[in-house]
Amino acid sequence: MAGSRPKSGPTMHDVAAAAGVSQATVSLVLNSASGSRFSEDTRRRVRDAVDRLGYRTNAHAKVLRDGVAGMIGFIGDTVATTPFAGAIIEGAQQRAWEDGLLLLAVNTGGDKDLEAASLDAMLSYKVAGVVYAAMYHRELDVPEALAGVRSVVLNSQDRAGRLPSVAPDEVKGGYAATRRLLDAGHRRIGLINIETLESRLPAAVGRYEGYTMALEEAGLDLDSEVVRFGGGGEEDGYRYAMELMTAAKPPTAIFCANDRSAWGAYQAVSDLRLSIPGDVSIVGFDNQATLAPFLRPGLTTFELPFVAMGRRAVELILQDAEPDGGVELMECPLIERNSVTHPKEMP
């Protein structure tokens, strides 16, 4: 009819009529209000009516009513474009969705102007909280804007110690990797680390500390002749593995502090006409899905718990108690493949 306004879509009144309940019941069911008690049949009728009518809640009204939108913000530097780290977003998104929330994710590429603009937009939307994530574990300076909203630092640590952080347990991971080789009977275990200790990169420092702890526990002295510090790439893994394996007294096993270094070490061992694990066992770290399973033999490594960390970050935002500025460390599980066996000559 001329001059009539188009229908904007089904309303909560329409849902209530279709489900045979009151609008108040529909509102309480959809918002999972605490203290509300409805039978499963009532909840099912409401959900069925919502699906059948295509009803969507009014996000703007929710902001006016509750003071927050049904969203959690997620800001990352290059997390979204890094294949093996994208699981962080997956974990955070899963946990947010379990509470009926959406994850509003922005990948800044390290651009501080984009980061500031994204945070400003998220705060204007009244997000319930912000996950501030980094591609690799390090200490970082958190934007001042996060002081105005419940926030968690993910896969890194707040240098100032004001915000809670969720990160991998690097020390325990380095210890477990070395322990895996010790348990196989190795006593001369090399290390190709990903940075120098002076860099204070938590991953490099922690994995080295775990390595030395395991050796000390086994009654072995740290031998600097079998320890190398590189940049974490394939080239350094190749160069340092070549040095270690052509030394007068080569190691029988090498702990590579990331999978890319292990990849380089594999190539060095092949060029020397040696075998893995027959001549040298290798353990990696990261469990890069595009790399570790496809090396031959498959690389025994430790997985960074990205999905679990993403979930935990969102849980800290959603919990009733205000989180403190502590660092919560999560265990890195062993992914067993075929790159470790006992040494040829047992001591």
Side-chain angles (χ1 to χ4, degrees):
M1 186 167 58
S4 65
R5 297 178 61 185
K7 185 173 177 61
S8 61
T11 65
M12 190 176 290
H13 173 78
D14 297 328
V15 174
V21 298
S22 68
Q23 289 190 55
T25 297
V26 172
S27 177
L28 290 171
V29 168
L30 294 182
N31 289 284
S32 301
S34 59
S36 58
R37 296 289 182 269
F38 300 105
S39 68
E40 186 53 39
D41 178 67
T42 298
R43 294 179 186 277
R44 180 184 53 76
R45 295 206 317 271
V46 170
R47 288 193 295 264
D48 288 348
V50 166
D51 292 341
R52 188 166 65 254
L53 297 175
Y55 173 74
R56 286 175 172 78
T57 58
N58 187 325
H60 180 62
K62 181 175 176 60
V63 172
L64 293 176
R65 182 182 69 249
D66 302 335
V68 295
M71 294 184 292
I72 289 178
F74 185 106
I75 296 248
D77 46 14
T78 54
V79 168
T81 55
T82 304
F84 69 95
I88 288 181
I89 297 178
E90 178 186 343
Q93 185 171 269
Q94 286 175 355
R95 183 61 188 86
W97 184 244
E98 287 171 10
D99 271 41
L101 302 173
L102 294 176
L103 195 73
L104 178 60
V106 176
N107 189 76
T108 67
D111 185 326
K112 290 300 180 183
D113 290 335
L114 177 56
E115 176 180 278
S118 300
L119 274 174
D120 186 59
M122 286 181 180
L123 296 179
S124 72
Y125 275 108
K126 302 292 185 182
V127 292
V130 174
V131 176
Y132 189 74
M135 185 189 74
Y136 64 91
H137 188 183
R138 64 187 188 272
E139 290 186 343
L140 46 73
D141 298 311
V142 174
E144 290 297 329
L146 290 179
V149 62
R150 181 172 285 200
S151 305
V152 175
V153 176
L154 179 56
N155 201 36
S156 276
Q157 300 178 31
D158 177 11
R159 197 188 314 276
R162 291 174 296 182
L163 294 182
S165 304
V166 178
D169 193 330
E170 309 288 5
V171 175
K172 187 178 289 186
Y175 172 87
T178 311
R179 187 73 253 173
R180 174 67 185 88
L181 294 169
L182 288 166
D183 289 344
H186 296 276
R187 291 299 178 267
R188 187 164 177 78
I189 301 171
L191 169 67
I192 301 177
N193 210 341
I194 50 181
E195 287 279 356
T196 63
L197 299 183
E198 288 73 20
S199 72
R200 303 308 302 168
L201 186 70
V205 175
R207 293 172 199 180
Y208 178 81
E209 183 179 338
Y211 167 78
T212 59
M213 282 173 55
L215 293 179
E216 182 179 352
E217 181 182 86
L220 301 174
D221 294 330
L222 175 65
D223 185 353
S224 61
E225 292 296 316
V226 294
V227 175
R228 298 292 188 276
F229 296 95
E234 174 196 354
E235 300 84 357
D236 282 347
Y238 180 92
R239 176 159 64 99
Y240 290 134
M242 187 69 75
E243 288 181 9
L244 292 173
M245 297 308 298
T246 56
K249 190 178 179 183
T252 63
I254 302 174
F255 167 32
C256 295
N258 72 348
D259 288 352
R260 289 181 62 202
S261 296
W263 182 23
Y266 266 58
Q267 295 175 59
V269 173
S270 176
D271 285 353
L272 290 170
R273 302 294 189 268
L274 299 174
S275 70
I276 299 169
D279 294 300
V280 60
S281 291
I282 294 181
V283 167
F285 211 101
D286 291 342
N287 193 34
Q288 289 200 25
T290 57
L291 176 61
F294 303 108
L295 294 176
R296 292 294 178 267
L299 177 64
T300 293
T301 186
F302 284 77
E303 185 170 66
L304 291 169
F306 287 128
V307 172
M309 290 193 302
R311 290 185 61 87
R312 183 56 182 158
V314 172
E315 283 175 356
L316 288 174
I317 288 174
L318 296 177
Q319 70 181 13
D320 291 334
E322 186 74 29
D324 60 26
V327 180
E328 186 168 326
L329 300 176
M330 304 199 71
E331 184 173 346
C332 302
L334 169 67
I335 306 299
E336 190 72 63
R337 295 193 178 96
N338 301 306
S339 61
V340 176
T341 190
H342 58 79
K344 280 185 175 179
E345 296 181 8
M346 296 293 285

